[in-house]
Amino acid sequence: MKKIIAIVFLMGLVSATTAQQLPYSQQMSQTAMNLWPDSFKIKPGIARWSYDQGVILKGIEGVWKLYGEGKYFNYIQHSMDFYVQDNGKIKDYKKDEFNIDHTNNGKLVMMLYNVTGKEKYKKAIDLIRSQFDEHPRTKEGGFWHKKIYPWQVWLDGLYMGQPFYAEYAKMAGQEKVFDDIAAQFINIERHTRDAKTGLLYHGWDESKEQQWANKETGTSPHFWGRALGWYGMAMVDVLDYFPTNHPGRDSIIQILNRFATAVTKVQEKKSGLWYDIVDLPNKPKNYKEASASSMLVYTLAKAVRNGYIPASFSKNAKKGYDGIIKEFIEVDANGQTNLKGTVSVSGLGGKPYRDGSFDYYMSEPVVVNDPKGMGAFILASVEMEMAALPKPGNGKNVVLDNYFNNEWRKDGFGKNTRWHYTWDEMDNGGFSLFGDIWQSYGSNICSLDAAPTSENMKKASVYIIVDPDGPKDTKTPNYMDEKSAIEIASWVKSGGVLLLMTNDSSNCDLKYFNTLSDKFGIHFTDFGRNFVKGNEFETGAVYNTLNAVFKKTKKMYLKEISTIDVKAPAVSLVEKDSEVIFATAKYGKGTVVALGDPWIYNEYLDGRKLPAEFENFTAANELVQWLLKQAKKTK
């Protein structure tokens, strides 16, 4: 018997050790994928269209982008495809219920549309978006939480609706929507913020008729931790889409700063965690709560990363995250990572009636692996894992050329939009994941729509030119000329870092572009190679001899390459069959890296297409870090 117990113990220890080898974001994502492999249901019965699932999947989207493993995207798509039908209708979604919670999953459907371009996803997001046009509002314009909760705005609802509303507005060019969004954040803070503590009450009843509502202010009685978490996450997420010149952006950032100051004052100093009712830590029955703590860590960490709040708040985020790991994370005997300590639900009103009292909040069950807590923990983990990466990009601007590569098309929203190797583009030919990598190492990314000059390049640390246009790409290509080549070469000589990625000669301009590259001893040839047929991926294999740039990468995938002839000051970096694939050059104080393929666009970074042995994602991370180390600060 003792022998059996010992074996079981050792098996559990091995499983736990194996789980710990993965980052926590991946561990918790795997738990979610184990618990809900096909569809989403918490209790026995049919799957339901639920905001809880959207929180988990939004976290898993972050894991996919940070680690480039296609299984995470596939899980999101599989989960949403259970509901989104081919005609765009959504199983179990009832628009006329006017439940703001039911719009949360729209964020994932939007992502699926942006990545795949499938029409069914476009129809589905249009359907969800149409709810906002008819959703009942308070007299000053705030969305009711639900039709069955008239005149009420809960902090929860700002997270459920506003980020999707903002992203759709950005995609569709609906600029007036940002006025609406900003007003809703401003108004709910004005109504629910306590002047003494700076904290926001869980809900507000404009009519002041609810039993839970203060008869003078309309607010609910307490500062509930998860409500604060929802509101914080709503702000940092909605700011992803706000136009930089919109006054509402600054208003939300100001609210976020007040919010960060208030919530960190009630963060327990010893554990770094937040209580369920955040301002009453010593009241009997109150407890530290996992979902609120995770949401607030995510809010603070993302706000610091994007420069919305002072960097000093990163200490609060780290203290909170360490506390979550210590107090709420548990790896069981099967090696599964579990999250303890999440209150299953807390609301206001309804049947049976929830009066918003302290005793009510304490009466709700606290459970293991609640999806809201898990999703928030994954989101927080992604931010903290990103924060732990080296930051060679701090103070450095990475500029992507949109002049020599200047292709346009009409998108699904009817707008004329840039495409093909652009930062915002999430489909196969986009650079969105490449942009995420640059940002994860601390750099700022932007684009240059004009010809390079000493004036518009002076704040660039890294300049990227990819796939310069020929007549096949645009009717009036902006060819490289001697003037532009001199400007760029002068910028490199003074310390700039230049990344050149062309294509094979049949798909981009090389004749004119060599005017620039020849200045560094790099000449793109008309000889192409790695012409892959179908899924014969090995034809595109490039094996790397470990070098100063690629210290870990052994095997990459590049197709339809223009090979390179090199002469001083250029040298070969990576070769295949004695032909140069990558070249580098030191030029004055600057650095040039060149290859004859766009190479790291989404199709070959996102883990969905290439076999696992191809290490393009690892290679992209290594290249970005190396380039940033060569670059100088310009901010």
Side-chain angles (χ1 to χ4, degrees):
M1 183 67 180
K2 290 182 179 179
K3 185 177 181 180
I4 293 173
I5 292 173
I7 292 172
V8 170
F9 173 77
L10 288 171
M11 289 175 63
L13 188 63
V14 170
S15 297
T17 302
T18 301
Q20 291 298 329
Q21 292 173 353
L22 288 174
Y24 279 109
S25 66
Q26 294 190 43
Q27 292 181 45
M28 193 58 66
S29 295
Q30 190 58 55
T31 298
M33 294 159 74
N34 292 342
L35 292 174
W36 302 289
D38 293 313
S39 59
F40 189 70
K41 56 184 179 182
I42 304 301
K43 299 176 182 178
I46 62 171
R48 58 193 176 90
W49 177 257
S50 169
Y51 74 91
D52 312 49
Q53 187 175 32
V55 183
I56 286 180
L57 296 183
K58 196 65 182 171
I60 292 176
E61 179 188 344
V63 178
W64 169 57
K65 290 179 177 179
L66 185 58
Y67 294 103
E69 294 188 31
K71 67 179 181 180
Y72 298 113
F73 176 90
N74 295 336
Y75 177 72
I76 296 169
Q77 185 171 34
H78 179 72
S79 299
M80 286 291 96
D81 279 352
F82 181 86
Y83 302 96
V84 179
Q85 310 301 297
D86 288 341
N87 61 3
K89 301 297 182 183
I90 303 171
K91 188 185 301 183
D92 197 43
Y93 168 74
K94 300 178 181 65
K95 172 182 163 181
D96 57 5
E97 288 183 346
F98 294 111
N99 182 340
I100 203 72
D101 290 345
H102 290 169
T103 65
N104 185 51
N105 291 351
K107 303 166 188 175
L108 284 311
V109 184
M110 174 73 83
M111 184 274 289
L112 292 173
Y113 173 65
N114 287 336
V115 172
T116 69
K118 287 188 176 181
E119 187 62 22
K120 72 171 187 176
Y121 298 132
K122 176 62 167 58
K123 292 177 179 177
I125 58 175
D126 287 345
L127 173 61
I128 296 169
R129 172 62 181 81
S130 70
Q131 178 176 324
F132 294 107
D133 292 333
E134 303 171 37
H135 198 97
R137 296 175 180 249
T138 62
K139 292 176 182 177
E140 63 184 7
F143 292 134
W144 291 6
H145 193 66
K146 299 180 184 179
K147 184 179 180 180
I148 61 173
Y149 296 138
W151 308 110
Q152 299 169 46
V153 179
W154 301 2
L155 297 184
D156 319 24
L158 277 294
Y159 175 79
M160 303 303 165
Q162 303 296 342
F164 169 75
Y165 193 27
E167 184 175 11
Y168 193 102
K170 178 182 178 181
M171 296 295 297
Q174 298 171 344
E175 295 182 9
K176 284 290 184 183
V177 166
F178 292 102
D179 298 340
D180 184 12
I181 293 169
Q184 296 202 43
F185 277 97
I186 292 166
N187 288 334
I188 197 60
E189 190 215 22
R190 177 166 54 84
H191 288 301
T192 63
R193 186 174 186 266
D194 174 60
K196 182 178 179 181
T197 64
L199 298 168
L200 280 66
Y201 292 100
H202 183 176
W204 174 67
D205 172 19
E206 184 180 47
S207 71
K208 304 183 178 73
E209 294 178 351
Q210 289 298 313
Q211 296 174 35
W212 53 258
N214 183 296
K215 298 310 174 187
E216 293 184 6
T217 64
T219 58
S220 58
H222 287 289
F223 308 117
W224 179 44
R226 189 155 75 221
L228 291 165
W230 289 129
Y231 188 70
M233 294 204 303
M235 286 189 284
V236 293
D237 286 359
V238 85
L239 286 167
D240 288 342
Y241 311 110
F242 249 80
T244 55
N245 59 351
H246 193 286
R249 183 177 185 272
D250 288 338
S251 296
I252 295 172
I253 290 173
Q254 290 170 20
I255 296 171
L256 181 56
N257 275 267
R258 291 192 288 271
F259 178 87
T261 299
V263 297
T264 51
K265 284 181 179 178
V266 291
Q267 182 181 17
E268 190 190 54
K269 288 183 171 58
K270 183 178 180 181
S271 68
L273 300 172
W274 284 266
Y275 277 76
D276 191 54
I277 302 300
V278 296
D279 63 326
L280 301 174
N282 299 319
K283 189 161 183 173
K285 295 186 179 181
N286 203 1
Y287 55 91
K288 299 163 197 168
E289 204 276 332
S291 67
S293 297
S294 297
M295 290 176 179
L296 292 171
V297 165
Y298 170 77
T299 299
L300 295 172
K302 184 173 180 180
V304 167
R305 175 169 62 85
N306 288 326
Y308 304 141
I309 62 177
S312 57
F313 283 104
S314 62
K315 296 178 182 177
N316 298 90
K318 187 178 188 311
K319 181 76 172 176
Y321 188 65
D322 290 345
I324 295 167
I325 300 299
K326 182 177 180 180
E327 189 133 347
F328 298 126
I329 292 298
E330 183 176 80
V331 179
D332 64 25
N334 296 317
Q336 178 171 286
T337 300
N338 302 308
L339 182 74
K340 305 181 293 182
T342 300
V343 62
S344 60
V345 67
S346 292
L348 298 165
K351 296 180 182 179
Y353 197 83
R354 299 166 294 184
D355 64 4
S357 65
F358 179 84
D359 288 341
Y360 158 67
Y361 284 108
M362 295 304 106
S363 72
E364 291 288 7
V366 178
V367 300
V368 177
N369 290 341
D370 178 272
K372 298 175 288 297
M374 293 170 66
F377 176 74
I378 297 169
L379 286 164
S381 295
V382 168
E383 283 296 330
M384 297 308 296
E385 289 157 22
M386 201 183 306
L389 292 173
K391 294 292 182 287
N394 282 346
K396 299 175 184 179
N397 289 315
V398 178
V399 179
L400 178 64
D401 161 66
N402 279 166
Y403 180 75
F404 301 107
N405 172 40
N406 185 32
E407 297 182 66
W408 293 77
R409 67 180 176 185
K410 187 156 286 188
D411 66 14
F413 295 89
K415 293 193 309 174
N416 202 28
T417 309
R418 289 186 185 279
W419 75 292
H420 224 185
Y421 316 123
T422 64
W423 292 136
D424 290 338
E425 189 183 353
M426 294 182 68
D427 64 12
N428 281 347
F431 267 175
S432 63
L433 292 176
F434 191 34
D436 291 338
I437 292 171
W438 286 104
Q439 291 175 304
S440 72
Y441 294 109
S443 54
N444 175 60
I445 61 172
C446 53
S447 302
L448 181 61
D449 299 345
T453 65
S454 58
E455 180 62 26
N456 62 29
M457 293 284 286
K458 66 182 180 181
K459 291 187 177 181
S461 302
V462 180
Y463 183 43
I464 304 170
I465 307 178
V466 56
D467 193 31
D469 294 340
K472 289 171 63 175
D473 305 309
T474 182
K475 292 180 180 178
T476 55
N478 293 317
Y479 289 121
M480 180 62 64
D481 56 21
E482 185 66 18
K483 180 182 177 182
S484 293
I486 290 172
E487 292 277 11
I488 297 170
S490 176
W491 170 81
V492 173
K493 196 170 187 177
S494 67
V497 173
L498 178 64
L499 176 60
L500 304 177
M501 295 189 284
T502 61
N503 214 321
D504 67 287
S505 59
S506 65
N507 285 300
C508 85
D509 163 61
L510 295 180
K511 176 184 174 182
Y512 293 99
F513 196 64
N514 277 324
T515 304
L516 170 65
S517 61
D518 283 347
K519 293 186 181 301
F520 314 112
I522 294 168
H523 187 87
F524 294 100
T525 76
D526 290 331
F527 179 75
R529 65 160 308 139
N530 286 24
F531 289 96
V532 179
K533 294 182 180 179
N535 291 332
E536 295 176 358
F537 295 111
E538 194 59 32
T539 306
V542 173
Y543 292 87
N544 178 51
T545 301
L546 302 186
N547 53 57
V549 178
F550 302 115
K551 296 180 179 180
K552 298 178 182 178
T553 305
K554 296 178 181 177
K555 185 178 183 180
M556 295 177 276
Y557 181 82
L558 296 90
K559 62 178 278 190
E560 299 177 12
I561 308 167
S562 169
T563 61
I564 300 171
D565 288 337
V566 299
K567 64 180 182 181
V571 294
S572 171
L573 180 71
V574 178
E575 297 182 4
K576 182 174 182 178
D577 300 332
S578 300
E579 294 164 351
V580 179
I581 307 299
F582 287 78
T584 62
K586 293 299 294 184
Y587 189 79
K589 297 179 181 179
T591 305
V592 180
V593 174
L595 63 151
D597 187 36
W599 175 50
I600 37 183
Y601 44 97
N602 293 333
E603 185 176 10
Y604 300 124
L605 276 190
D606 65 14
R608 295 192 296 139
K609 181 171 183 176
L610 291 181
E613 67 264 25
F614 291 99
E615 300 169 302
N616 284 27
F617 192 83
T618 299
N621 276 266
E622 290 197 284
L623 177 63
V624 164
Q625 290 184 78
W626 188 84
L627 289 171
L628 287 171
K629 288 175 183 176
Q630 316 309 308
K632 61 183 182 180
K633 292 184 179 181
T634 53
K635 290 185 185 178

